[in-house]
Amino acid sequence: MSTQRQYPVVPAPRFDVPPEESVERVRAFADTMALRRTVRDFSERPVPRGVIEHAIRAAATAPSGANLQPWRFVVVTDPERKRLLRDAAEREEREFYERRASREWLDALAPLGTDWRKPFLEDASAVIVVFEVHKGPETPRPYYVKESVGIAVGFLLAGLHQAGLATLTHTPSPMRFLNEVCDRPQEERAYVVIPVGYPADDAMVPDIARKQMDEVAVWT
Ligand code: IYR
């Protein structure tokens, strides 16, 4: 039998919304989120550190397997480190676009117009590299890592968008080089790279639409 002690319990924090306000509140949230777009053209205008700190604070409230909170957020702002990050990512991406990617994958990406060049890794004021934290000398084996970190990244993107910042979820492949660039130990595995900043004045995005409600939701 397990001898593990249980956590003591405390009253659940209350976040009560008057019923007559709840539709308006969630409508406003959805309307704000509808204006989020993946942006690839960033201004060099710096982002206040506090904005990123609070967004990470929101991300770190995500639910996680066995509450092990298996995430690490590395905020890269030093221009020299951003340059190293860009150089290494472009080396991998060049391989991807010119050799590794299947024809089918390249065809799926073609309408977005992406290629191996990643100037946003230097132009954006900050680049947040999100790592999964696996079992290591000081960290227990986590559960549902991808699900937990994915939810945290969702909170992070929502928080940064609320603050008027643009983001891009970038996934260089493979990502091992990020341990060295970010000085992180082997038990940490990069999950996604998120340039964060103000959009460039002339930033353009593909003219794409979101699916309709009846395509994404089923009520039964
Ligand atoms: N990692 C590459 C390719 C890429 C893949 C998907 I799926 C995208 O939605 C966009 C890009 C890159 O970042 O360019």
Side-chain angles (χ1 to χ4, degrees):
M1 212 180 69
S2 167
T3 53
Q4 286 279 352
R5 296 275 306 275
Q6 289 193 350
Y7 293 118
V9 294
V10 293
R14 306 300 304 211
F15 179 67
D16 293 329
V17 176
E20 65 280 12
E21 282 179 30
S22 56
V23 171
E24 263 324 306
R25 288 228 204 162
V26 70
R27 187 210 307 277
F29 180 70
D31 288 349
T32 301
M33 291 310 293
L35 299 174
R36 187 204 58 79
R37 291 295 309 264
T38 287
V39 165
R40 292 188 161 77
D41 304 312
F42 289 86
S43 119
E44 291 183 13
R45 184 176 153 202
V47 172
R49 180 182 171 126
V51 173
I52 294 181
E53 276 179 356
H54 285 299
I56 292 174
R57 200 162 65 83
T61 68
S64 64
N67 189 40
L68 290 169
Q69 307 171 52
W71 40 65
R72 176 92 58 224
F73 303 91
V74 177
V75 186
V76 184
T77 57
D78 172 46
E80 175 59 17
R81 208 184 284 265
K82 284 196 287 183
R83 195 181 59 74
L84 289 174
L85 178 53
R86 175 184 178 177
D87 285 352
E90 287 186 334
R91 265 196 301 281
E92 293 293 0
E93 289 292 282
R94 216 184 170 126
E95 271 293 303
F96 172 82
Y97 280 94
E98 291 176 0
R99 276 176 279 278
R100 279 200 299 266
S102 63
R103 170 56 36 207
E104 189 184 27
W105 195 342
L106 291 176
D107 285 348
L109 290 175
L112 294 171
T114 57
D115 63 26
W116 62 267
R117 291 180 196 85
K118 305 298 172 193
F120 46 73
L121 292 173
E122 278 189 278
D123 298 343
S125 167
V127 179
I128 306 178
V129 184
V130 184
F131 287 83
E132 304 168 352
V133 181
H134 289 265
K135 185 171 164 53
E138 268 137 51
T139 48
R141 175 196 191 287
Y143 300 92
Y144 297 103
V145 180
K146 297 224 177 284
E147 293 83 349
S148 305
V149 178
I151 297 167
V153 167
F155 286 15
L156 181 68
L157 297 180
L160 292 167
H161 178 64
Q162 293 284 326
L165 294 176
T167 57
L168 161 61
T169 41
H170 172 50
T171 50
S173 167
M175 298 210 220
R176 257 303 163 196
F177 72 90
L178 290 162
N179 287 76
E180 193 182 335
V181 173
C182 299
D183 284 333
R184 301 310 306 165
Q186 286 306 299
E187 63 269 23
E188 298 189 8
R189 296 184 206 152
Y191 179 86
V192 70
V193 177
I194 308 175
V196 180
Y198 296 93
D201 288 337
D202 59 354
M204 303 288 280
V205 293
D207 185 12
I208 50 182
R210 290 178 168 120
K211 291 184 177 177
Q212 296 298 305
M213 178 58 65
D214 64 358
E215 296 176 272
V216 297
V218 177
W219 294 65
T220 182

